[in-house]
C-alpha cells in the first residue's frame, strides 16, 4: 500500500493500494483480501472511520468487478483502492472496451447480477472507455453502513 499527498500537495492524505490481476481465478480471493487489509490499515493506522459492514460491502463490490473482468475481458486487469476522507474509491481497469449494461429486473434470471449489485451498494458508479479497454469506478461511503 502506498500513501501519498493529495493532488494539491497539501496536508490531505491519500491512502492507496493496487493489484495487477491476470486470468487466474485465485486473484478474486486475493483482491478481497487486499480490500480487507486496505480498509483495516485505513482505520487502524490512519484514523479513517471504517465501519465493519462497509468492509464486507467493499469486498463484495470488488468481488463482483473482478469476477466480471475475469469473465468478459481477455487481458490483464488492474484494481486500485483509494481512501480519501469518508469515501473509498474502487477502480478496475480491464481490456474489454464494451460498456456493461445492467439487465432489466428479473428475479428468475440466474447470474449476471454483478452490475446491479455494485450499483445498489455504491454511492456512484461510472464506466469509461479507455484506449485499452474500460475503467469502472465505484465510490462507497465508509461510515454509512451499520455494524
Amino acid at each position: 500500500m502506498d500513501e501519498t499527498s493529495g493532488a494539491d500537495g497539501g496536508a490531505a492524505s491519500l491512502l492507496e493500494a493496487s493489484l495487477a490481476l491476470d486470468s487466474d481465478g485465485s486473484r478474486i480471493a486475493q483482491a478481497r483480501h487486499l480490500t480487507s487489509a486496505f480498509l483495516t490499515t485505513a482505520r487502524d493506522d490512519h484514523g479513517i472511520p471504517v465501519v465493519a459492514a462497509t468492509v464486507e460491502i467493499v469486498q463484495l463490490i470488488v468481488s463482483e468487478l473482478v469476477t466480471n473482468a475475469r469473465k468478459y475481458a481477455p487481458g490483464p486487469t488492474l484494481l486500485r483502492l483509494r481512501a480519501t476522507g469518508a469515501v473509498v474509491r474502487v477502480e478496475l481497469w480491464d481490456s474489454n472496451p464494451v460498456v456493461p449494461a445492467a439487465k432489466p429486473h428479473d428475479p428468475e434470471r440466474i447470474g449476471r447480477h454483478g452490475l446491479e449489485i455494485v450499483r445498489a451498494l455504491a454511492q456512484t458508479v461510472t464506466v469509461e472507455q479507455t484506449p485499452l479497454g474500460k475503467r469502472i469506478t465505484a465510490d462507497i461511503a465508509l461510515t454509512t453502513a451499520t455494524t
Side-chain angles (χ1 to χ4, degrees), residues 33-129:
H33 177 72
L34 174 73
T35 301
S36 177
F38 174 76
L39 293 172
T40 298
T41 298
R43 183 190 62 226
D44 295 348
D45 297 350
H46 297 276
I48 297 173
V50 180
V51 297
T54 301
V55 175
E56 294 173 7
I57 289 168
V58 178
Q59 283 184 305
L60 178 55
I61 288 171
V62 165
S63 290
E64 292 297 334
L65 293 176
V66 171
T67 297
N68 287 346
R70 183 174 175 270
K71 240 176 154 174
Y72 302 111
T77 302
L78 177 66
L79 171 67
R80 181 168 69 180
L81 305 170
R82 296 172 50 186
T84 56
V87 173
V88 64
R89 173 167 282 178
V90 176
E91 294 176 296
L92 188 93
W93 285 266
D94 70 37
S95 60
N96 185 347
V98 175
V99 174
K103 303 290 181 203
H105 178 71
D106 179 359
E108 295 184 20
R109 183 176 70 237
I110 298 173
R112 302 192 59 120
H113 295 279
L115 189 56
E116 292 173 67
I117 292 168
V118 171
R119 285 192 172 147
L121 295 173
Q123 287 180 309
T124 61
V125 177
T126 58
V127 180
E128 302 171 84
Q129 288 180 315

